[in-house]
Amino acid sequence: TRHSLGYTSTLRYSGTLLHVHLAADMRVLACSWLLVTAVVVAVLVEATSAKVYGKCELARVLEQQYGLQRQAIKNWVCIAEFESRFNTAAINYDNVDGSKDYGIFQINSMYWCHDGTPGGKNICGIRCTDLLGDGLRDDISCAQRIYSAQGYSAWVAYNNNCRHIDLNTYMAECWGATGRGYNDL
């Protein structure tokens, strides 16, 4: 039977007549799918705001947009290269304690940001997902807090890759031999 608001079907179940109004159920189902679609689109939009920097590009951004000094920049750039390959959306799921590392500096969820990791401390007072976009303000702020507490040695990548190299030579392709300008190689 067709009604103005949709279809009604009459069914017999164990001797009882059941009237089912299909339009309302279909609208609820359609709204549910719209909500799911909106959430998926929002997640994809957030994911697409991530950025993979070039080495010299990151150095320039850290200096010109965030005011970092070159002595610090060469360490942060080296850490970013070996922690995330300069990828702001990088997530490491392989920690033994079940925590994850997020963003360009691979900041850990057990201590520094919140992602629901059991026992997590969230010392930086941020959501870990805030570290995954193309903006670096939260990443830098939290990384500097980690540095203040533990130094660069808080990063395995620094200990394994950056600590024992000449970082001036490492950055020469960006700053040139004099360390004054930027080379876009």
Side-chain angles (χ1 to χ4, degrees):
T1 311
R2 177 147 170 74
H3 293 273
S4 62
L5 295 176
Y7 290 92
T8 301
S9 295
T10 304
L11 305 172
R12 186 172 301 277
Y13 178 72
S14 297
T16 305
L17 287 177
L18 300 173
H19 297 284
V20 179
H21 190 69
L22 298 176
D25 293 338
M26 295 305 287
R27 279 191 294 253
V28 168
L29 183 61
C31 287
S32 297
W33 277 108
L34 284 172
L35 179 61
V36 168
T37 302
V39 169
V40 168
V41 167
V43 167
L44 291 174
V45 167
E46 177 66 24
T48 59
S49 70
K51 178 169 179 61
V52 178
Y53 284 88
K55 178 179 176 177
C56 299
E57 177 187 20
L58 179 60
R60 186 181 314 105
V61 166
L62 292 175
E63 184 174 32
Q64 294 176 357
Q65 291 183 20
Y66 296 99
L68 274 63
Q69 298 298 310
R70 287 191 175 185
Q71 186 62 33
I73 291 170
K74 57 189 176 185
N75 288 289
W76 292 123
V77 169
C78 187
I79 289 168
E81 178 174 7
F82 292 103
E83 286 286 356
S84 68
R85 298 287 182 236
F86 305 117
N87 184 352
T88 64
I91 302 175
N92 171 26
Y93 297 92
D94 296 332
N95 295 325
V96 176
D97 63 1
S99 66
K100 295 182 248 358
D101 302 320
Y102 289 85
I104 198 165
F105 300 121
Q106 291 292 275
I107 293 172
N108 186 266
S109 64
M110 181 58 75
Y111 302 102
W112 305 104
C113 62
H114 174 72
D115 72 349
T117 296
K121 308 278 188 257
N122 193 14
I123 294 170
C124 290
I126 58 173
R127 295 176 313 186
C128 297
T129 54
D130 293 343
L131 302 168
L132 300 177
D134 62 355
L136 298 176
R137 187 160 312 285
D138 291 328
D139 305 68
I140 293 166
S141 176
C142 189
Q144 288 176 325
R145 188 165 191 168
I146 296 167
Y147 172 76
S148 293
Q150 299 178 8
Y152 293 119
S153 62
W155 284 270
V156 172
Y158 177 82
N159 296 322
N160 293 342
N161 301 286
C162 307
R163 177 188 298 254
H164 302 294
I165 65 170
D166 179 353
L167 292 175
N168 291 319
T169 301
Y170 170 77
M171 293 301 297
E173 68 186 84
C174 301
W175 294 333
T178 64
R180 295 194 181 145
Y182 282 95
N183 298 325
D184 291 315
L185 300 175

